[in-house]
Amino acid sequence: MPELKSVLITGASSGLGAAMAERMVARGWRVFGTSRKPRPDSDGIEWIPLDVCDDASVKAALGVVSDRVGTLDGLVCNAGWGIYGSVEETELEKARAQFETNFFGVLRVLTPVLASMRAQNSGRILFIGSLSGRAPIPFQAHYSASKAAIEALAFSMVNEIKPFDIQVSLIEPGDINTAFNDVMDWGESDPDSPYAERSALCERAIRESLPKSPGPEIVADAVEHALTAKRAKLRYAVGREATLVGLGKRLFTDRLNLWTIRDHFGI
């Protein structure tokens, strides 16, 4: 029997990552899921403790994967979180922490896996971006910026690795009904802030829209296609909002696109 295809999915313990992991197990892949806390293998997922913000943790986790399967067939860079607050009032330390996970955490895992895939001249790398990378969310500037950075990283890398048989895809979801808001750092509201009223309106819109959004299975659909199709797409805009934003970016001016964002969030 041929060996199962293998994939490592970071941040697989809940939300989007859990849906991706379950889907690829069902598809017959060998799935390595990572979470910051150790957990026993279950439902066909081999769990590996990994903190993307810790060099030693990443090295140890990838060492376990290498011992078990050698070089991976797929990598899904999914681990991430968000902070909320105005650009002016968000502490630099929080902004750094946002990028430490969402950007540098991706690089820590990506670069050694990419080197291994390049050496074997095969593999697929998926970046979980966000619609906010193209349509930045008010009061989530740092999260949006981190996802825009991931888009630039992914597409720059496509040209760098052109001579090698490695496919790269950016998965770009809009609002998805997960527990993302439950782990958001919402900060502390200050009634005296000059942004207080508009920030509260935007927060309410965010909190109300997520439960009405499609479930994570539509992102798992895109991940499955990107990992298994003969020729994966470079970008998967997931959800109606993501598709409409892409159309708006092509047809409308920046000012009009920014107006639609303000209108959407009620500010």
Side-chain angles (χ1 to χ4, degrees):
M1 279 183 67
E3 289 189 12
L4 298 179
K5 294 268 191 179
S6 60
V7 61
L8 174 69
I9 303 173
T10 65
S13 59
S14 63
L16 298 182
M20 299 169 198
E22 291 168 5
R23 175 65 59 85
M24 297 316 297
V25 167
R27 185 64 190 256
W29 281 49
R30 186 171 183 181
V31 176
F32 297 97
T34 79
S35 64
R36 284 179 294 177
K37 295 181 180 180
R39 54 190 300 171
D41 295 348
S42 61
D43 300 322
I45 302 171
E46 299 177 49
W47 288 102
I48 299 175
L50 185 152
D51 181 350
V52 298
C53 296
D54 185 286
D55 292 345
S57 175
V58 171
K59 184 177 180 180
L62 294 182
V64 171
V65 173
S66 179
D67 288 344
R68 294 184 188 179
V69 296
T71 301
L72 290 159
D73 297 293
L75 169 66
V76 183
C77 299
N78 170 69
W81 65 296
I83 63 175
Y84 189 85
S86 70
V87 171
E88 180 182 341
E89 296 169 321
T90 297
E91 300 94 334
L92 193 57
E93 182 179 354
K94 278 192 177 183
R96 284 198 181 104
Q98 181 75 106
F99 270 77
E100 190 61 46
T101 297
N102 291 10
F103 184 76
F104 294 108
V106 168
L107 282 178
R108 280 190 186 88
V109 179
L110 167 67
T111 50
V113 173
L114 175 58
S116 181
M117 287 182 174
R118 177 181 50 75
Q120 74 170 11
N121 204 40
S122 68
R124 305 215 177 183
I125 297 173
L126 279 55
F127 296 90
I128 307 303
S130 168
L131 175 60
S132 67
R134 287 202 283 173
I137 302 172
F139 304 102
Q140 282 188 283
H142 306 90
Y143 175 77
S144 300
S146 72
K147 292 302 185 178
I150 288 298
E151 177 176 348
L153 173 70
F155 290 159
S156 293
M157 199 176 81
V158 167
N159 282 336
E160 292 180 7
I161 64 174
K162 185 65 176 175
F164 313 108
D165 192 17
I166 301 170
Q167 295 192 45
V168 175
S169 296
L170 175 70
I171 313 295
E172 191 178 62
D175 283 343
I176 303 294
N177 188 3
T178 68
F180 184 82
N181 280 350
D182 296 339
V183 296
M184 173 91 74
D185 181 349
W186 291 99
E188 297 181 7
S189 58
D190 179 2
D192 296 324
S193 166
Y195 302 99
E197 181 179 356
R198 298 174 75 244
S199 176
L201 287 170
C202 189
E203 179 178 339
R204 184 174 70 184
I206 292 170
R207 289 185 181 275
E208 290 178 352
S209 67
L210 213 60
K212 303 172 186 176
S213 303
E217 63 276 357
I218 67 169
V219 181
D221 290 343
V223 167
E224 179 183 6
H225 187 274
L227 286 173
T228 61
K230 183 175 181 180
R231 176 58 60 181
K233 299 177 184 178
L234 285 173
R235 185 195 303 269
Y236 290 81
V238 182
R240 181 172 176 271
E241 288 178 337
T243 302
L244 290 176
V245 164
L247 183 63
K249 295 289 281 188
R250 293 195 297 271
L251 298 179
F252 302 148
T253 65
D254 287 339
R255 287 188 184 279
L256 183 53
N257 279 313
L258 289 172
W259 177 86
T260 62
I261 292 171
R262 291 196 301 276
D263 183 66
H264 176 79
F265 290 104
I267 61 169

